Short mmCIF file of all heavy atoms in Angstrom, two decimals:
data_model
loop_
_atom_site.label_atom_id
_atom_site.label_comp_id
_atom_site.label_asym_id
_atom_site.label_seq_id
_atom_site.Cartn_x
_atom_site.Cartn_y
_atom_site.Cartn_z
N CYS I 10 -14.00 4.77 -6.11
CA CYS I 10 -15.28 5.48 -5.92
C CYS I 10 -16.40 4.45 -5.86
O CYS I 10 -16.58 3.67 -6.78
CB CYS I 10 -15.49 6.44 -7.07
SG CYS I 10 -17.09 7.26 -7.01
N CYS I 13 -18.95 5.33 -9.08
CA CYS I 13 -18.63 5.11 -10.51
C CYS I 13 -17.46 4.14 -10.70
O CYS I 13 -17.19 3.75 -11.83
CB CYS I 13 -18.32 6.45 -11.19
SG CYS I 13 -16.68 7.11 -10.79
N CYS I 30 -14.71 12.24 -5.72
CA CYS I 30 -14.19 11.48 -6.86
C CYS I 30 -13.80 12.42 -7.99
O CYS I 30 -14.56 13.32 -8.34
CB CYS I 30 -15.27 10.51 -7.32
SG CYS I 30 -14.84 9.63 -8.82
N CYS I 33 -16.58 11.53 -11.06
CA CYS I 33 -18.02 11.83 -10.97
C CYS I 33 -18.33 12.93 -9.96
O CYS I 33 -19.46 13.40 -9.92
CB CYS I 33 -18.80 10.57 -10.66
SG CYS I 33 -18.65 9.97 -8.98
ZN1 ZN U 201 -16.89 8.50 -8.91
#
Side-chain angles (χ1 to χ4, degrees):
C10 175
C13 75
C30 174
C33 73

